[in-house]
Amino acid sequence: MKIGILGSGSVGQAIATGLAEHGHEAKIGTRDPSKLKDFLAKAPKGISVGSFSEAAAFGEVIALATNWGGTENALKLAEAKNLDGKVLIDITNPLDFSKGVPGLAVSGANSAGESVQRWVPGAKVVKTLNIVNSNTMIHPQLQEGLPDMFVAGNDAGAKATVAGILKQFGWPEPVDLGHIEHARYLEALAMIWINIAIPTKTWSLAFKLLRK
Amino acid sequence: MKIGILGSGSVGQAIATGLAEHGHEAKIGTRDPSKLKDFLAKAPKGISVGSFSEAAAFGEVIALATNWGGTENALKLAEAKNLDGKVLIDITNPLDFSKGVPGLAVSGANSAGESVQRWVPGAKVVKTLNIVNSNTMIHPQLQEGLPDMFVAGNDAGAKATVAGILKQFGWPEPVDLGHIEHARYLEALAMIWINIAIPTKTWSLAFKLLRK
């Protein structure tokens, strides 16, 4: 599968690597391709770089891995025509760093996931993977066990596509939390992770749902 | 220890039972003591019933287990003078049932935990236990493992007192999420639990933090 990745930071790079490892082709969209020179030199085959628009046009599925402040603009640069009808995996967290320790930049009856869905109404947005560090997104098995991943989105077929990718990455069948409005809860869960990670300086944390 | 419980539903009854099992004395505060006749007939020793004010005056520690709609009034009936300086364990979830499937009645830069802290500024509010069903609050060990519990509150001593009670109930050392504003994240985590429990009809769910 061809996947366009919007965002070239650690999350975009981790997702591209995970996809390439599993035989997918990934094109990372960025404002500044020169930033990825070192990464590309060591990256597995199947990863290319382009503009946001080129990455979006390339992908059958899109992964959104931008910093929150740059998200709306990245989606504009990607162009609606390149996103329409496509599955868009939203990995963003709407972090507000203005007070030092991050808080949520989006609150109330809103979330990053819902904002993204409003900004690109033609895309099928699925919120997932935002609750773990980039180095836990692929091969999530931890010493203490295999964690769970959650998905939220309005389109059942899109969630099934994302579930397939997550399972390739090593996750169990993801837990479906319903429609995209429930991205609110996943973004809050990311804040639990972040609020544990900062004082303990341990970012490789994840959550397991105990079902019985 | 003497503990006053505000709220006489399944959560209040479970907490009272768990406390009595561990040698504490619990007084359940309710508007209608006659509702608890059947429960008291089978309950372990050490549980009594009274008004909200009597339960609050009785407790060295207070557990708040009201339905969200009745919470502010229950705290008024409990009277500030009976809550001042005391640890108040906030187990509430601010659920809005107006649309069928519950949503959060409190959102934005707010939470039930913060609301409770504002309503009784003299109490030391600790948010915890709101992310599991009443039958998982005591003896939380599930077949799939021992889940984790989280606490959020402004007073370190109060959180230590609550940690002691949680450990008696069978929880591991709880994970400290910081100040009471982070009740927002625990109330969102409750929504994840509820949104899994409703379609699967499985309420005995809990979360484990995998740390490495």
Side-chain angles (χ1 to χ4, degrees), chain B:
Chain B
M1 196 183 277
K2 290 179 174 182
I3 299 180
I5 299 173
L6 307 180
S8 56
S10 58
V11 172
Q13 293 178 20
I15 296 294
T17 303
L19 290 166
E21 274 179 17
H22 293 92
H24 300 291
E25 289 176 74
K27 187 182 282 293
I28 301 180
T30 176
R31 287 176 190 81
D32 180 8
S34 68
K35 275 200 311 186
L36 288 168
K37 221 171 161 183
D38 291 351
F39 167 71
L40 280 178
K42 294 177 196 168
K45 274 188 189 175
I47 301 178
S48 60
V49 172
S51 67
F52 283 123
S53 176
E54 287 166 343
F58 174 85
E60 301 160 75
V61 166
I62 310 296
L64 181 62
T66 43
N67 286 326
W68 181 242
T71 300
E72 188 173 8
N73 193 46
L75 290 169
K76 275 184 194 155
L77 294 172
E79 298 182 79
K81 67 174 185 197
N82 296 322
L83 302 170
D84 272 358
K86 293 182 182 174
V87 175
L88 192 156
I89 306 172
D90 172 25
I91 315 175
T92 64
N93 277 311
L95 300 181
D96 170 11
F97 292 95
S98 65
K99 289 169 189 157
V101 178
L104 281 174
V106 166
S107 72
N110 196 14
S111 61
E114 290 160 272
S115 301
V116 168
Q117 183 64 81
R118 277 193 302 274
W119 291 333
V120 284
K124 297 166 184 169
V125 178
V126 178
K127 185 93 202 180
T128 195
L129 283 176
N130 68 305
I131 59 169
V132 292
N133 198 240
S134 58
N135 61 17
T136 311
M137 291 177 182
I138 320 296
H139 312 305
Q141 178 77 48
L142 298 175
Q143 284 178 49
E144 294 190 340
L146 181 61
D148 281 296
M149 186 44 66
F150 305 87
V151 292
N154 296 337
D155 189 281
K159 287 190 276 194
T161 298
V162 173
I165 294 170
L166 290 171
K167 284 189 275 188
Q168 286 192 323
F169 286 177
W171 293 95
E173 180 71 34
V175 179
D176 188 352
L177 289 183
H179 48 65
I180 191 65
E181 283 75 11
H182 292 174
R184 295 172 199 178
Y185 310 141
L186 287 177
E187 293 163 20
L189 187 54
M191 296 306 296
I192 292 180
W193 157 55
I194 290 168
N195 275 282
I196 299 167
I198 290 175
T200 61
K201 293 178 184 158
T202 305
W203 288 87
S204 292
L205 303 168
F207 301 94
K208 186 174 180 61
L209 176 68
L210 304 180
R211 282 163 237 238
K212 54 186 182 181

Side-chain angles (χ1 to χ4, degrees), chain A residues 146-166:
Chain A
L146 181 62
D148 281 294
M149 185 45 66
F150 306 87
V151 293
N154 296 337
D155 189 280
K159 286 191 276 195
T161 298
V162 174
I165 294 170
L166 289 172

